Amino acid sequence: MAYRAGLPVTLLSVTSSSERPSGIVCDWKSQRDSFQNDAKLLGRAFAFVYVGSIVDQAISDPISDDLRKEVISDMSSALDVRQTAVDWGVAKAVADTNPFAHAGYKLASRLLRMDQPLIESLARELTSQGTIEGDALRKWLDANASALNFDELETSTTY
């Protein structure tokens, strides 16, 4: 999601160690000046947060402790996006951010449908490597991702 949205990823990892946490490191807020459209950036930030949750919903196994931690982290990240919308003056209150959250969820759903093979391939790559640094990740994605008009996907009316 971050790659397609033009958000810089500095680290992607599935191994926890003392020096590197498991997860993804992406500072989407730092892109505010380059986006010059807070509403669009907030929608993409929500999509970034929700994409993993949508994938997790498809898991039929009992919920593991690690997955519980991810869900709590996702909820915290979604609240951060909501609060950022208020801080940036795009919404008057956290309760007024639902349209951005809804747009982000729809965008994440559309992207998953379009990029499922890429996501599965990246998951295999990440499983074999454990951690992929930002530059290596971008190179891998540039070599393996098919062309996609993200702006068009973002404005689509289908799920």
Side-chain angles (χ1 to χ4, degrees):
M1 178 63 220
Y3 171 78
R4 293 296 197 185
L7 305 174
V9 174
T10 57
L11 177 73
L12 183 59
S13 179
V14 291
T15 58
S16 288
S17 70
S18 59
E19 55 217 40
R20 289 196 172 135
S22 179
I24 183 168
V25 178
C26 174
D27 181 11
W28 60 270
K29 292 178 190 177
S30 68
Q31 300 305 297
R32 187 177 187 199
D33 288 339
S34 64
F35 264 79
Q36 298 178 348
N37 182 334
D38 288 348
K40 185 178 210 171
L41 180 57
L42 290 163
R44 288 180 179 192
F46 272 114
F48 173 72
V49 169
Y50 290 147
V51 74
S53 298
I54 295 169
V55 170
D56 293 341
Q57 289 173 7
I59 298 172
S60 60
D61 297 336
I63 296 176
S64 68
D65 286 339
D66 287 341
L67 185 54
R68 265 188 243 288
K69 289 177 188 172
E70 274 185 45
V71 170
I72 291 168
S73 176
D74 288 347
M75 289 172 32
S76 175
S77 295
L79 186 55
D80 178 52
V81 178
R82 289 179 185 275
Q83 186 58 53
T84 301
V86 174
D87 294 347
W88 288 356
V90 179
K92 289 183 180 181
V94 168
D96 298 328
T97 60
N98 287 340
F100 301 107
H102 182 70
Y105 189 89
K106 288 191 324 186
L107 178 57
S109 296
R110 282 187 226 113
L111 183 65
L112 280 171
R113 194 172 55 257
M114 300 293 296
D115 266 355
Q116 191 67 38
L118 176 67
I119 293 165
E120 290 171 1
S121 182
L122 178 58
R124 285 189 297 275
E125 185 72 19
L126 185 58
T127 301
S128 71
Q129 290 190 35
T131 297
I132 306 174
E133 298 283 343
D135 290 339
L137 177 62
R138 177 161 289 286
K139 260 187 203 177
W140 188 91
L141 287 165
D142 285 347
N144 291 280
S146 61
L148 176 68
N149 184 329
F150 194 77
D151 288 326
E152 189 175 289
L153 182 70
E154 198 166 29
T155 58
S156 173
T157 58
T158 64
Y159 269 92

